[in-house]
Amino acid sequence: MPKEIIRKFEVPYLQVLDEEGRCDEGLMPDLTGEEIKELYEFMVLVRTFDEKAVKLQRMGRIGTYAPVLGQEASQIGSAYAMEDEDWMFPSYRENGSYIVRGVPMAMVLRYWAGDERGCQMPEGMNNFTVAIPVGTQVLHAVGAAWAFKMRKEKRVAMVYFGDGATSKGDFHEGMNFAGVFQIPVVFLCQNNQWAISVPITRQTAAETLAQKAIAYGFEGVRVDGNDVFAVYKSTLDALEKARAGGGPTFIECLTYRMGDHTTADDASRYRSQEEVEAWRVKDPIERLRKYMEGKGLWSKDYGAKVQEEAEERVRKAVEEMEATPEPEVEDIFRYTFEEMPQNLEEELQELREALTEGRK
Amino acid sequence: MTKINIVQAVNMALREEMARDKSVVVLGEDVGRNGGVFRATEGLLQEFGEERVIDTPLAESGIVGISIGMAVCGMRPVAEIQFDGFLYPALDQIISHAGRIRTRSRGRYRVPLVVRAPCSGGIHAPEHHSESPEAYFAHTPGVKVVMPSTPYDTKGLLAAAIRDPDPVIFLEPKKIYRAFKEEVPEGDYTIPLGEAKVVREGSALSIITWGAMVPLCKTVAEEAKGKGIDAEVIDLRTLSPLDTKSIKASVEKTGRAVIVQEAPRSCGLGAEVAALIGEKSLLYLKAPIERVAGFDTPFPLYRLEKYYLPDAARVMRAVDRVMRY
């Protein structure tokens, strides 16, 4: 009667660029100087957008907003690795990924300003709508990727979610289906360590989230989520593997939510300033800047120009968002079904008449 | 033309729609090799292969959520949930996503999805196998709800549901799955969603019902005839959107309404039908509206099942009350 170890597992960790901006050239992904600059410019743009969005909320010009601050490398590095024909399934915080995927910033703002037209993706743009119920979008990505596989299309679906989502049933069910059917999907988890006020230690007793993939029969990796090169490289590898028929991958980007959960939250109620400060020195943009400076890709003039251009683009986006005419009340009804049923016609008619009467 | 029962009509509709449209896929627990626990998907695996007839892991939210993703990306999934009581884990996906994605994306994305499930009691099943959950779905914006009561309607309504551009919850009353056969043509026909059917014309009162209660109400109507009461029976067929016009026309003709549902009484679909009659046809009424329904209790295990289910005696009492008023 043997008693023996029948399986042992390992959880790989990838960091390419350390906190000081030092790079392991052997691990460095294949990126040109221009591409590295583009990554940097996206990160500056997204941070500028993010800061502006928080301010707009404070001024009452948009509604509740979920900031990206601190997670720029995780969002931009991963979205940058995708092809246009791939599909992205975001949660509600992927404003940065949306911007990299070409969603106009005015649209992103419009969504947060309480207008569904902010989720009306332009034709040909394969980005799904915001999903607010945590983790529910994991299943949609698996189903989409399964459709690609059925039609033998070389597309991949990538789904974004956070550490909190890994506690949900839909996460488990999605991971399980993906493993069983070898679905071409990438699970991109931004472990920002806080689900509003609940720390990662209350989500799981597992040492890493990456190891969860092992139980579903596929590869899980942890990467430094504040290292844009590590995120880009691991995402690209996972996407290529999926495209080649190699099935799913789970990527845990270990990062930190520097801001509040949303503008309606006050993170100082539940976490210490020391903890936040300890993460500030790991800032994803600053370490990339240091690296670029060392490589001659960054100068003060260039940095100033990038910042200035980002501010100008964000200013224009805000202007465009605010110049958008109000949605029509008919829009409440128009998109419920392809054809409006009688009961909705009647409700709309009643509303129209009430509005007309109100104006008399 | 062959005579088939409801479960065979489900099978025929699935087979024909799968043959007609390559984007139609069937997925669920035991739908492949086993042909479904009620055999509704019998033979489909052999005919269409395991890429289109998929035995899934045991995960209802997963089945529906994944089907939503497939539907958004160009497929027409028909998901089977094995029993009514196991629909509940998928309610989040149906309410939060299936019914809202078209609206949320302002028409950019749509969800042509069918979720099929056997429903309602009467077969001496274990707990959670006899639920009538139609009101949850009828209360959910953005999804349609269908419950057929005959083989002919089953095939035509299921074909229409599969071709519909929006999500449809298709509930199949399991008590009458094999209760009777009728002639169902092979080949293409659909029955438009949203249209009720007058299954028995009458002038004295309108019995409005759906699902497994339809044959019961027809029997009661025949009995009532013996008492000189000429009852009309309406099978709603589509529970959302409701065919308000047919309800209104019938009640305004007869002036009396008895609504019969198997689901618990409070906040059931019958309440909505009653409210519509009150709003639209109040002055035509010669008697208060009567509801005959399941009770506001959990569905009992089968030793007490027959007392829970509306039966001919209870429906007849309601008929007598509206006639006596």
Side-chain angles (χ1 to χ4, degrees):
Chain A
M1 296 292 168
K3 183 183 179 193
E4 57 190 350
I5 304 298
I6 58 163
R7 284 288 182 279
K8 276 190 173 177
F9 297 103
E10 289 174 342
V11 180
Y13 174 72
L14 181 68
Q15 183 190 57
V16 179
L17 193 61
D18 74 8
E19 291 163 27
E20 298 306 317
R22 288 178 301 237
C23 174
D24 184 330
E25 296 293 345
L27 296 171
M28 185 64 192
D30 192 15
L31 285 165
T32 64
E34 283 310 302
E35 287 169 332
I36 292 169
K37 283 166 85 172
E38 201 181 1
L39 281 169
Y40 174 78
E41 288 159 20
F42 268 130
M43 288 168 78
V44 171
L45 177 64
V46 167
R47 183 162 294 181
T48 307
F49 172 90
D50 201 53
E51 284 168 354
K52 184 68 185 180
V54 172
K55 280 185 196 149
L56 290 173
Q57 188 281 331
R58 299 295 184 228
M59 291 185 281
R61 289 158 72 185
I62 66 170
T64 300
Y65 173 79
V68 181
L69 187 64
Q71 299 175 218
E72 293 88 351
S74 293
Q75 292 196 11
I76 288 151
S78 54
Y80 194 76
M82 296 177 80
E83 299 289 340
D84 288 346
E85 65 261 27
D86 295 335
W87 276 64
M88 161 181 148
F89 289 79
S91 75
Y92 45 76
R93 201 184 298 286
E94 276 67 63
N95 307 301
S97 308
Y98 264 155
I99 291 169
V100 174
R101 296 275 293 162
V103 182
M105 287 185 287
M107 263 185 74
V108 181
L109 286 172
R110 204 174 291 158
Y111 176 77
W112 294 107
D115 184 345
E116 284 91 344
R117 288 174 298 177
C119 271
Q120 192 179 32
M121 290 298 145
E123 279 298 328
M125 210 176 259
N126 300 325
N127 306 305
F128 202 51
T129 52
V130 167
I132 290 181
V134 169
T136 52
Q137 75 277 16
V138 171
L139 294 170
H140 309 154
V142 174
W146 202 340
F148 307 151
K149 185 179 173 173
M150 286 171 178
R151 292 196 298 260
K152 302 187 170 47
E153 296 170 353
K154 294 283 173 202
R155 301 171 196 255
V156 182
M158 186 156 87
V159 58
Y160 286 93
F161 52 91
D163 41 309
T166 65
S167 301
K168 298 265 303 212
D170 281 353
F171 164 77
H172 160 70
E173 294 184 18
M175 292 277 281
N176 192 43
F177 270 80
V180 170
F181 295 97
Q182 288 293 289
I183 306 293
V185 60
V186 177
F187 299 95
L188 200 292
C189 176
Q190 294 170 78
N191 175 2
N192 72 15
Q193 309 195 45
W194 288 93
I196 306 189
S197 69
V198 179
I200 182 70
T201 48
R202 277 287 169 105
Q203 301 297 342
T204 181
E207 221 174 313
T208 70
L209 293 175
Q211 72 201 59
K212 289 176 182 269
I214 295 166
Y216 300 103
F218 57 89
E219 190 186 358
V221 296
R222 175 183 266 191
V223 305
D224 181 339
N226 283 11
D227 166 4
V228 73
F229 295 148
V231 174
Y232 171 76
K233 184 182 166 68
S234 53
T235 312
L236 191 67
D237 289 350
L239 289 165
E240 284 178 355
K241 181 181 93 177
R243 239 185 291 281
T249 307
F250 177 90
I251 301 169
E252 174 190 6
C253 296
L254 187 66
T255 182
Y256 194 80
R257 193 192 79 211
M258 294 297 288
D260 297 324
H261 162 66
T262 65
T263 48
D265 174 44
D266 172 10
S268 71
R269 289 170 62 85
Y270 49 80
R271 64 184 191 186
S272 72
Q273 197 51 36
E274 293 78 57
E275 184 183 302
V276 178
E277 292 311 315
W279 277 90
R280 201 177 301 283
V281 297
K282 301 181 187 192
D283 185 69
I285 301 183
E286 179 57 14
R287 79 168 79 170
L288 178 61
R289 189 199 65 75
K290 282 181 186 162
Y291 166 83
M292 288 169 68
E293 194 171 17
K295 290 283 175 187
L297 292 169
W298 190 93
S299 65
K300 274 193 174 162
D301 282 353
Y302 166 75
K305 192 169 132 272
V306 170
Q307 186 59 48
E308 202 177 298
E309 278 175 11
E311 280 166 24
E312 181 57 16
R313 286 184 62 187
V314 170
R315 191 187 62 74
K316 280 190 177 150
V318 174
E319 220 173 72
E320 195 189 325
M321 180 269 290
E322 293 191 325
T324 311
E326 282 290 293
E328 295 168 12
V329 291
E330 283 83 354
D331 283 357
I332 298 172
F333 301 89
R334 197 171 276 155
Y335 301 101
T336 311
F337 295 101
E338 187 162 289
E339 272 180 54
M340 202 184 290
Q342 184 64 30
N343 60 322
L344 293 190
E345 297 266 13
E346 284 175 21
E347 289 169 14
L348 173 57
Q349 187 56 29
E350 171 65 21
L351 175 60
R352 276 195 189 122
E353 285 171 18
L355 288 171
T356 312
E357 212 161 277
R359 276 194 290 269
K360 275 178 193 164
Chain B
M1 229 182 315
T2 45
K3 285 193 164 191
I4 59 173
N5 61 33
I6 287 179
V7 77
Q8 289 167 323
V10 170
N11 188 270
M12 191 192 277
L14 291 172
R15 174 173 283 114
E16 289 182 7
E17 290 306 302
M18 289 187 83
R20 198 185 58 82
D21 180 352
K22 276 203 304 199
S23 66
V24 178
V25 295
V26 165
L27 69 163
E29 297 156 11
D30 307 297
V31 299
R33 193 184 289 191
N34 195 34
V37 295
F38 287 99
R39 309 290 175 256
T41 55
E42 180 97 65
L44 298 182
L45 175 70
Q46 291 73 13
E47 193 168 340
F48 299 102
E50 60 181 15
E51 288 200 354
R52 293 183 64 198
V53 183
I54 305 159
D55 276 322
T56 66
L58 210 166
E60 290 82 9
S61 181
I63 292 165
V64 173
I66 283 169
S67 296
I68 290 170
M70 284 180 182
V72 165
C73 286
M75 306 303 287
R76 287 187 178 263
V78 182
E80 176 176 308
I81 298 300
Q82 198 160 78
F83 280 93
D84 34 64
F86 310 139
L87 274 164
Y88 305 142
L91 278 182
D92 186 20
Q93 286 293 338
I94 293 168
I95 296 170
S96 303
H97 294 299
R100 306 178 80 120
I101 284 170
R102 184 188 284 277
T103 290
R104 186 185 299 142
S105 68
R106 285 296 183 254
R108 170 70 161 83
Y109 300 122
R110 52 188 210 147
V111 186
L113 157 73
V114 177
V115 178
R116 290 181 42 245
C119 73
S120 308
I123 64 157
H124 287 203
E127 196 185 355
H128 312 292
H129 291 66
S130 302
E131 308 274 300
S132 292
E134 65 268 23
Y136 301 126
F137 301 111
H139 189 65
T140 300
V143 304
K144 300 178 182 177
V145 186
V146 174
M147 197 191 291
S149 75
T150 67
Y152 182 87
D153 284 356
T154 297
K155 187 185 162 195
L157 288 166
L158 183 53
I162 292 170
R163 297 179 201 183
D164 199 90
D166 288 301
V168 180
I169 310 299
F170 197 88
L171 298 168
E172 301 162 5
K174 63 176 92 73
K175 183 180 184 227
I176 54 170
Y177 255 160
R178 295 185 167 81
F180 57 96
K181 291 186 175 184
E182 69 179 3
E183 288 194 345
V184 176
E186 283 186 27
D188 199 13
Y189 73 92
T190 59
I191 294 173
L193 305 188
E195 291 185 8
K197 184 169 71 174
V198 179
V199 296
R200 187 187 190 285
E201 281 195 36
S203 57
L205 83 152
S206 305
I207 304 178
I208 300 159
T209 189
W210 55 95
M213 294 291 109
V214 174
L216 171 74
C217 291
K218 278 163 74 179
T219 308
V220 172
E222 288 309 314
E223 271 178 46
K225 198 176 155 191
K227 295 186 188 178
I229 301 167
D230 184 21
E232 179 147 298
V233 180
I234 296 187
D235 177 359
L236 290 179
R237 303 196 292 190
T238 297
L239 309 185
S240 179
L242 274 174
D243 183 354
T244 314
K245 275 187 195 152
S246 294
I247 297 168
K248 187 171 179 286
S250 178
V251 172
E252 290 181 5
K253 179 176 74 175
T254 63
R256 295 180 179 88
V258 172
I259 303 160
V260 183
Q261 69 177 35
E262 189 176 324
R265 179 186 183 89
S266 296
C267 303
L269 192 70
E272 180 62 28
V273 174
L276 282 169
I277 296 169
E279 284 169 356
K280 292 179 187 294
S281 311
L282 183 70
L283 297 180
Y284 291 85
L285 288 179
K286 299 170 190 157
I289 301 163
E290 284 276 344
R291 277 183 291 165
V292 182
F295 303 115
D296 294 331
T297 68
F299 194 95
L301 290 183
Y302 67 83
R303 286 184 183 276
L304 294 173
E305 180 178 43
K306 67 177 176 189
Y307 304 107
Y308 180 94
L309 293 170
D311 61 7
R314 284 177 58 205
V315 178
M316 189 59 90
R317 278 166 58 80
V319 169
D320 286 339
R321 276 197 297 267
V322 298
M323 293 311 297
R324 263 204 318 267
Y325 186 82

